Amino acid sequence: MTAIEVDGVGKSYTGKGKRTDALSGVRLSVPSGGFVSLLGPSGCGKTTLLKCLDGLVPVTEGEIRVGGVPITGPGRDRAFVFQDFRLLPWRTVLGNVAFPLEGVVSSKAEREEIARRHIEMVGLADFERHHPHELSGGMQQRVGIARALAVDPDILLMDEPFGALDAQTRELMQIELLRIWELTGKTVVFVTHSVDEALFLSQRIAVFSARPGRVAAEFEVPFGYPRDEHAVRGDSRFTDLRHDIWRLLKGDTNAFSE
Amino acid sequence: MKAASTLSQTVKAPSQRAWTSPARATGIRPLHVAGVALALAGWQVAGAVRPDFTSSPTLVAAELLRLARDGDLLSLVAGTVGTLLVGWAAAAVLGVLAGFLIGRYRLLAVALEPYLVALYSVPLIALVPLMIIWFGIGEGFLLATIVLATAIMLVFPTATGTRESVRAYGELARAYQVTGRRFLLKVVLPGALPYIAAGLRISVQRALMAVVVGQFLVGHPGLGTLLGDARARLDADEVFAVALVALAVGALLTALVGWAGRRLSAWRPEVTT
């Protein structure tokens, strides 16, 4: 089953009489329960596409269908995880995770029960009374992920969620994310500029080229789950794929600077 | 954090904070105490030479006692603070509302900002005659003067806080379909609170100034009137005594508002505007 269909999507901005194409003719399909990464250099439009998928940014061309229905804005079936966490600093961990439930679940006890379950899922059970500024970056993003999961969406849209974290925390979070993904069966669209991250996490990688952003190539990643980090990284297919993707990205950068 | 091999790892909460010394808790250092003692001693010496001119700590202390006993000082202070609080509360409501509106709606900001800047810059004393014509010389005049002097000081911080809040959390709220009244009350207002607290802190001093000067000008009973009487009699002891009381009231109010503001926005460092 297809969860998301991106059908000839284009996005252009007009400012001061000048037209800038951020995306053009993007075609992509994400299977239900799949893990797809959007990979590319900064400024290639991958984050713009992710925001279009959430309905935060309207497309100027083409159509995005979720479960066969064209989207018109943000909805309960999708949840967004931001690169900079975007937690409400005056709320506790519990308050942040319960935040998106407030217009949906009327009983406070029930909201907190749902929030607690997801806080526990991301391993922060001891921290529900803490405020974001008391937490490390990795812990803050765990809250961001718990908040997204709390609304029980079909699709998780993750915008370089580990981009602001140090290398070690980042690896831990990748393993955590795969565990949660396998546990919940959500569809994940994951934006990153790290080839290794995309390869380790996803089933399929859509590599973007820049200005206007479009999908240059798609790669299937031939490893099953759960993935063992060392086995995967040592596998020759991993190195080959890594090489191919790098060549594609590099060629694009060269074409660009010329 | 534990090793990468554990899949379902849990992070442990940190232990309690360490003990803080009284000096650190209050911000008062031995050097401060020594400075005050030295200044009082110097004042006492100066007072021994020209008591009619500089007064002295002992004379001022005696005068304070006399005012408290015969001059009804406490009820005058209570009345002044009461007027101040009523006027300042009204100013806060008006200022926050106006600031929120111009922070939220760009057209309003464009239309109103020139007038607000003008009001902010005009010397208050220039408006006093108009206030007297409109409100007489009673309580109404004092309240109007406080509102005029302080509401404007809340408008700009609130507007900035509102804009900041929308900029920082607007997209998040949209992504999670938090809109309308819930967006305003649960996202924009709490996000703007540190800015509003900063505005309240700077405006309370101005409210005190407005009420004292107002009383001084129209002779409405209060601290300002005491000051006026003392000046008329060239009584340096009383002038110093009343000024000290005003200082104490101002310091106390500022500390209280600062404390309340920090309580309200403990989740982020103080905003200075």
Side-chain angles (χ1 to χ4, degrees), chain A residues 208-238:
Chain A
F208 272 65
S209 68
R211 289 173 226 211
R214 58 160 58 94
V215 179
E218 287 191 53
F219 294 86
E220 293 290 334
V221 184
F223 307 110
Y225 299 88
R227 279 182 184 174
D228 179 83
E229 209 192 337
H230 300 287
V232 166
R233 287 190 209 282
D235 195 300
S236 68
R237 288 170 301 175
F238 180 91

Side-chain angles (χ1 to χ4, degrees), chain A residues 24-39:
Chain A
S24 174
V26 177
R27 261 165 230 294
L28 185 75
S29 117
V30 179
S32 192
F35 197 125
V36 173
S37 285
L38 311 180
L39 177 71

Side-chain angles (χ1 to χ4, degrees), chain B:
Chain B
M1 287 203 183
K2 279 191 284 176
S5 56
T6 341
L7 280 185
S8 58
Q9 55 171 293
T10 305
V11 194
K12 286 273 167 272
S15 58
Q16 289 293 305
R17 251 178 233 167
W19 177 83
T20 40
S21 73
R24 173 167 293 193
T26 56
I28 297 172
R29 303 269 187 286
L31 196 61
H32 292 147
V33 179
V36 170
L38 197 69
L40 284 175
W43 188 11
Q44 190 68 41
V45 172
V49 183
R50 286 287 308 270
D52 59 324
F53 199 62
T54 63
S55 185
S56 80
T58 44
L59 288 171
V60 170
E63 179 64 18
L64 275 174
L65 277 179
R66 189 193 67 79
L67 283 172
R69 212 174 40 232
D70 313 331
D72 221 6
L73 181 67
L74 285 181
S75 73
L76 286 177
V77 169
T80 303
V81 171
T83 307
L84 181 157
L85 289 180
V86 173
W88 184 57
V93 171
L94 273 175
V96 168
L97 202 66
F100 169 74
L101 288 173
I102 69 168
R104 190 80 184 93
Y105 305 103
R106 242 181 66 82
L107 269 180
L108 271 179
V110 172
L112 293 181
E113 243 160 30
Y115 303 101
L116 294 170
V117 169
L119 188 60
Y120 197 63
S121 345
V122 70
L124 256 187
I125 198 82
L127 299 173
V128 164
L130 199 58
M131 292 289 108
I132 293 179
I133 294 171
W134 287 354
F135 298 100
I137 55 167
E139 190 81 4
F141 164 79
L142 293 176
L143 292 175
T145 306
I146 299 170
V147 170
L148 189 69
T150 55
I152 192 74
M153 306 194 77
L154 278 148
V155 174
F156 292 113
T158 307
T160 307
T162 303
R163 277 188 209 112
E164 255 320 287
S165 205
V166 171
R167 189 192 60 73
Y169 311 114
E171 192 181 43
L172 165 77
R174 267 193 320 124
Y176 287 97
Q177 297 114 66
V178 174
T179 53
R181 214 164 58 95
R182 279 203 313 126
F183 175 56
L184 296 182
L185 293 180
K186 304 222 157 188
V187 179
V188 178
L189 190 66
L193 260 187
Y195 295 82
I196 297 172
L200 287 173
R201 206 174 50 228
I202 51 170
S203 68
V204 73
Q205 293 152 341
R206 202 156 132 127
L208 178 63
M209 193 187 77
V211 71
V212 170
V213 171
Q215 291 167 342
F216 184 90
L217 287 174
V218 299
H220 191 82
L223 277 180
T225 331
L226 274 185
L227 213 54
D229 296 349
R231 183 209 53 168
R233 285 186 272 107
L234 296 177
D235 186 341
D237 300 347
E238 192 177 342
V239 170
F240 273 112
V242 177
L244 265 183
V245 171
L247 180 91
V249 170
L252 193 68
L253 283 173
T254 308
L256 274 175
V257 175
W259 174 80
R262 278 191 299 277
R263 284 298 299 267
L264 276 177
S265 47
W267 46 271
R268 69 174 279 174
E270 270 177 73
V271 179
T272 42
T273 37

